[in-house]
Amino acid sequence: MDLNKSREFFDPSKVKVPCHIIGCGSIGSNVAELLARQGVEEFILWDMDIVETHNIVNQLYTEKHVGMKKTEALLGILSEINPAIKHKATIKDKYTDEILEGYVFMCVDNVEVRKQIVEVNYNNLNIEAVFDFRTTLLEGQHYAVKWTNTKYKRSLLNSLNFTHEEAKANAPVSACGFELSVAPVVKGTAILGIINFMNYINNDELAHVVVFEPFSYAMLKM
């Protein structure tokens, strides 16, 4: 992959451990694409769903992917960006208490799975950092923790102190019952998370919380 446009700013050889994309839907597919375009090659893609027609409006997939497993479709897209990814990526289904290593991008749309990931791996020092993404119709939230930092690790766990049912009850839905989501919020949130990741690789610095409201041109970083 020709990285002449970006290598002097971001050298992917510094990413020496795998990137777990847990959830390959709206956020996860866009996060993976951005990482691939920066030269990251070693992915572990987690998802058990297939691509459906309504996914196309805010996910990376196209009509040709409908009916495919999201992990397989996403691996195909990433491999078109960088063929080396095809031989270095791993596909997995639903997360079930696995001990992880490397960088963890929590993009799954179920808060209880995200809480499970944090709790199972709370004392796991094989994780470098965790990047969490949450979106509503008009707002994106991004959380990041260097996994040796107990203070922010505890803060991330506390921020997940609600149920999947409570989250769904507060989500705006269409007349047909679909949870509403638009691509600018999804892509903007993914971009902010990858900028945070790149800053971490380059400078060992993390923004711990970023709240993004693109339609009111507002952003808060902490």
Side-chain angles (χ1 to χ4, degrees), residues 35-61:
L35 288 169
R37 292 193 188 279
Q38 293 305 315
V40 173
E41 296 180 349
E42 190 174 357
F43 290 91
I44 301 175
L45 305 175
W46 298 76
D47 208 302
M48 60 184 297
D49 291 337
I50 64 169
V51 179
E52 301 181 67
T53 53
H54 64 266
N55 296 144
I56 294 170
V57 298
N58 68 348
Q59 301 183 19
L60 202 60
Y61 309 108

Side-chain angles (χ1 to χ4, degrees), residues 18 39-44 75 79 82-91:
V40 173
E41 296 180 349
E42 190 174 357
F43 290 91
I44 301 175
L75 178 55
S79 299
N82 182 356
I85 293 172
K86 182 177 182 179
H87 307 290
K88 295 187 177 181
T90 302
I91 286 176

Side-chain angles (χ1 to χ4, degrees), residues 20-45:
H20 293 264
I21 310 295
I22 304 182
C24 295
S26 57
I27 287 287
S29 61
N30 282 285
V31 162
E33 181 213 10
L34 290 164
L35 288 169
R37 292 193 188 279
Q38 293 305 315
V40 173
E41 296 180 349
E42 190 174 357
F43 290 91
I44 301 175
L45 305 175

